[in-house]
Every structure is written in C-alpha cells, then in structure tokens.
Amino acid sequence: MSLQPPLGSQVPRAIALVPLRGGSKGIPGKNIKPIAGRPLCAWVLEAAHAAGIFAEVVVSTDSEEIASVVAQHSPDTRILRRPAELATDTASTEAVMLHAADHFEFSHLATIQATSPLTTGKDLANAFRRMVDGNYDSVVTGVRVRRFFWTSDGTPLNYNPANRPMRQQFRGTVMENGAFYYTRRELLLSERCRLGGKILVFEMPPETAVELDEPEDWAKVESLLRRKILPARIGRVGLLVVDVDGTLTDAGMYWSAQGDTLKKFNTRDAMGLERVRRSGIEVAIITSEKSPIVAARARKLGITRCHLGIREKLPVLESLAAELGLSLEEVAYIGDDLNDLPCLERVGFGACPADAVSDVRATVDYVSTFPGGAGAVRDVCDTLIEARENRVERMNIRALP
C-alpha cells in the first residue's frame, strides 16, 4: 500500500471505502459468501490494495462476522464500525460515506461496491489518474451499451428513429454499472451526494455490467472470476500434458475395409502445441491407448515425452513433473474422461474440451468452447501462451508521483 501525504500538500490523499452491511435479503450473507475460492468482499479489497493509490482501505460494517472475515483475508484493511441507523435497508450509501468522512481525512473518496468483484486495481488507478489530471469533481463507472432505448410511452431515449444509425456508426449509451465512485471531499460535504460538479464517466469492460444482486447472477460472475484469475495461476506453468482420445482426437475410431484403424487429428491443435513449446513450456502425452498411430503423431509433432498404454496416469504425471523440477501446481493437463480425473484434480491448471464428460467439466478450471479434436487443445495452448506473456506486466501499477 502506498501512503500519501496529508491534506494540504499538492498530492491528493485518496482513501477507499467498501461498504459491507451485515443484512442482505437477495443473497443472504453475500458480502462474505465464497465465490471462486474466496469471500466476495476479498476481491474488491485486493483490487483496492493493488491499485497502489490509497492512503487507507476502509471497510464500513455493522457486522462482527464480516469484520472477522476482512481481518483474516485483508489484514491491512481498516475496519470502521457502522452505527445501527446506518445499517438498515433504507440507509443511503451517501450516509455511510459521510460517516467515513467524520473519521478519516482525505481529498478524494473511492466508494467501491463488493457486488462488482470484477473491478481491478488497474481500473481504480486509471480512473483516479484521469480524475486528477482532468480536475474532475466525481467519477461514475459504466459500460457502453450499443442498444436503442425507449420509454414505456414510446419515446426514444438515445436515437432518432427517422435517422436510424447503422450499428457500426452508433456509439451507444454508457450504462452505470455501480462498480465504484470517486468523490471530492468538498463535493461530498456540500452536496451530500456521491456525484456532482464536473463528472468523469469511466468506461469499463462489458463483463463488468454484471452485478451480484440476485442469486441467478452468482454462477455467471463466478465463471468470469475464475477466468480472471487464470493468468496468475497459469503464468507459472512449465509443462502441458495432453490426453489423446477425445482430446487430441474426436474420440472416434475409424476402420478401413482392410481392418486398419485410423484416428483424426487437428492441424490447428498441432500448431498450438508447437507454439507452446516455442514459448518455453514442455509438452508431454499420456494416453491409455497403446497405438502406433499416436506414437507416429508424437514424432511428427516433435514430442519426445510420449507415454502410451498408461492405465494409471497420475504416477507418470508426477514422475514427469519431478524430472523437470516442477511442482504439480506448475503443470497443466487437458483431458476429457474419467481416467483423467486424478490428474486434473492435482495439477495447477486443468482443462477439458467442450464435449468432455460431465464429471470432468465440473472439476476443471477451464472448459474450452471447442470439442475434442476440433480446436480444444489449440484453445488451451493459446490461453497458456497469453498468460505466460502477460504474467510480468500483471498488476504493474505505479502510485502517483
């Protein structure tokens, strides 16, 4: 956390405020309910600390349970006990902000909503820099929506039906997504409102339009969060292990009239594996089939670590990792059937094709949108390469000078 000078200096002093009320009717206990492996509130608290711009990160809560969870998962966060009158269904966010202003000195207040866990430290830092550089009084976040809107009485809101724009030329409308707000102290105290004066509209990625207000939102946001954390987990991968039937192939068994067996492979998968190897990740094949076709394909791809006829795959996987000096957390595995589960459950990154069996799909970190033998391996390879390339620059955020 980068502490800033006190009020009166030329450098702004910003603090982050995360309101976490104990009562929640839509999703009981949602502020500390686990999502993608951690309590909901932990996502925005991590983002606030990672931003590197806040003198304090503060949670305002009336709940001892929430305070305990915050202390466990984010020990650098300050706890502000909220009085009972500010913990009702009718208490406004502005009242909570003003309560914080009574207890902390700041020039700028960032009010961050825990129900927007896709918010990143980079979002918070970039919005604040733009606010300061442009001398804005407040910031609202939103997502650009390229749709035509009407009132229920037939009045168009954002376009002229007589001059209907083509979609490519239509800039659309920014929809407030409620992720976070910035407010100058003077504006908050004088207007008792989070927004006013010269307002900056800070646009965020389309997926951040989803908020966790209803139970049906939970699965969608959890899926997005798991994809968000993939770069941090898979950027360290040093070995990719690939199953064959149903993964590198379509699981079909092709027979000629002469009784010869054939397998169908995908050239895009082959290019993916080649690119992975060029990026510095080792590649191995472990398959229960003892097929000369697979051995020939491995030779064609230049894969020397090819293990055929393996019924118990996990011991071979462990041996491969040890040989390369890797932990299983540094191994990625892609498979499609039940005999792949022991490996998928142990590796740092497990993936499967879109048509893998249901137990495998429920276990892995990543389900490709492509079926086995039709681009699933290429999809996983591209994901690994992107994560490896982005690892160095992830969360590389400077504090304001």
Side-chain angles (χ1 to χ4, degrees):
M1 185 166 61
S2 175
L3 296 181
Q4 300 180 23
L7 285 174
S9 75
Q10 293 183 344
V11 178
R13 177 183 170 87
I15 74 167
L17 175 68
V18 182
L20 297 178
R21 187 167 66 91
S24 174
K25 292 189 170 70
I27 305 175
K30 70 177 178 183
N31 283 323
I32 54 175
K33 181 179 177 181
I35 183 168
R38 65 183 73 173
L40 174 62
C41 62
W43 291 95
V44 294
L45 292 173
E46 178 184 338
H49 286 291
I53 58 172
F54 298 118
E56 301 278 5
V57 177
V58 179
V59 160
S60 170
T61 186
D62 61 311
S63 166
E64 290 297 329
E65 184 180 13
I66 288 176
S68 176
V69 170
V70 170
Q72 178 184 354
H73 288 270
S74 186
D76 292 335
T77 297
R78 296 279 297 275
I79 303 295
L80 177 61
R81 305 292 176 175
R82 191 190 305 187
E85 62 269 22
L86 297 183
T88 65
D89 291 339
T90 57
S92 68
T93 299
E94 277 77 5
V96 175
M97 294 165 67
L98 288 163
H99 179 248
D102 289 338
H103 290 80
F104 294 92
E105 290 293 338
F106 57 83
S107 61
H108 297 73
L109 178 67
T111 305
I112 308 170
Q113 304 288 1
T115 49
S116 296
L118 294 167
T119 299
T120 67
K122 188 174 182 179
D123 293 328
L124 292 162
N126 286 345
F128 186 53
R129 290 194 183 101
R130 288 187 57 192
M131 181 184 191
V132 172
D133 291 345
N135 198 29
Y136 288 93
D137 298 300
S138 55
V139 177
V140 61
T141 61
V143 170
R144 187 166 295 276
V145 180
R146 288 178 170 83
R147 293 288 188 269
F148 300 128
F149 291 100
W150 293 74
T151 65
S152 56
D153 64 3
T155 302
L157 291 176
N158 64 342
Y159 83 111
N160 179 2
N163 188 25
R164 187 183 182 96
M166 296 186 66
R167 179 170 175 79
Q168 302 92 316
Q169 301 168 335
F170 182 56
R171 282 192 49 78
T173 302
V174 177
M175 177 187 72
E176 185 174 340
N177 67 351
F180 60 88
Y181 305 86
Y182 276 104
T183 314
R184 284 187 183 271
R185 185 183 187 93
E186 294 83 356
L187 174 69
L188 176 63
L189 296 181
S190 63
E191 303 297 327
R192 306 181 77 80
C193 183
R194 73 189 83 176
L195 295 172
K198 184 182 178 183
I199 301 175
L200 167 67
V201 178
F202 182 77
E203 291 189 37
M204 295 177 67
E207 62 268 19
T208 63
V210 181
E211 291 185 83
L212 281 170
D213 290 326
E214 301 298 334
E216 55 266 26
D217 301 328
W218 203 265
K220 183 174 183 179
V221 173
E222 184 162 35
S223 175
L224 290 168
L225 284 171
R226 290 194 181 280
R227 292 184 66 91
K228 173 183 172 182
I229 63 176
L230 283 179
R233 293 183 57 193
I234 66 178
R236 301 187 301 271
V237 165
L239 170 65
L240 170 62
V241 178
V242 186
D243 171 48
V244 176
D245 288 326
T247 302
L248 275 172
T249 77
D250 60 2
M253 296 294 290
Y254 301 90
W255 295 79
S256 71
Q258 291 72 35
D260 298 322
T261 59
L262 303 171
K263 292 180 184 290
K264 176 186 173 186
F265 294 90
N266 187 292
T267 58
R268 294 189 179 92
D269 288 344
M271 177 59 73
L273 291 171
E274 181 181 338
R275 292 182 68 235
V276 158
R277 291 171 62 210
R278 288 204 304 261
S279 77
I281 299 173
E282 296 288 338
V283 174
I285 289 173
I286 303 178
T287 176
S288 58
E289 288 289 317
K290 196 167 186 177
S291 167
I293 298 174
V294 176
R297 185 59 176 162
R299 287 194 299 271
K300 175 72 173 177
L301 298 176
I303 299 173
T304 58
R305 294 180 173 88
C306 181
H307 299 267
L308 309 178
I310 306 300
R311 295 298 175 186
E312 299 293 332
K313 295 185 176 184
L314 183 57
V316 176
L317 175 70
E318 292 172 331
S319 177
L320 278 170
E323 175 188 335
L324 294 168
L326 301 172
S327 70
L328 290 184
E329 283 294 314
E330 297 170 295
V331 176
Y333 187 103
I334 175 169
D336 74 304
D337 215 330
L338 298 179
N339 62 338
D340 296 307
L341 277 176
C343 294
L344 290 167
E345 290 170 345
R346 294 290 304 279
V347 296
F349 176 62
C352 72
D355 55 348
V357 299
S358 59
D359 284 353
V360 168
R361 292 199 308 271
T363 299
V364 298
D365 303 290
Y366 181 77
V367 179
S368 174
T369 55
F370 298 93
V377 171
R378 174 61 178 269
D379 181 31
V380 173
C381 289
D382 289 347
T383 301
L384 287 169
I385 292 167
E386 182 181 357
R388 194 175 182 87
E389 291 174 347
N390 291 341
R391 184 184 174 199
V392 174
E393 62 181 284
R394 183 178 179 265
M395 302 310 297
N396 183 24
I397 301 169
R398 290 188 299 111
L400 284 171

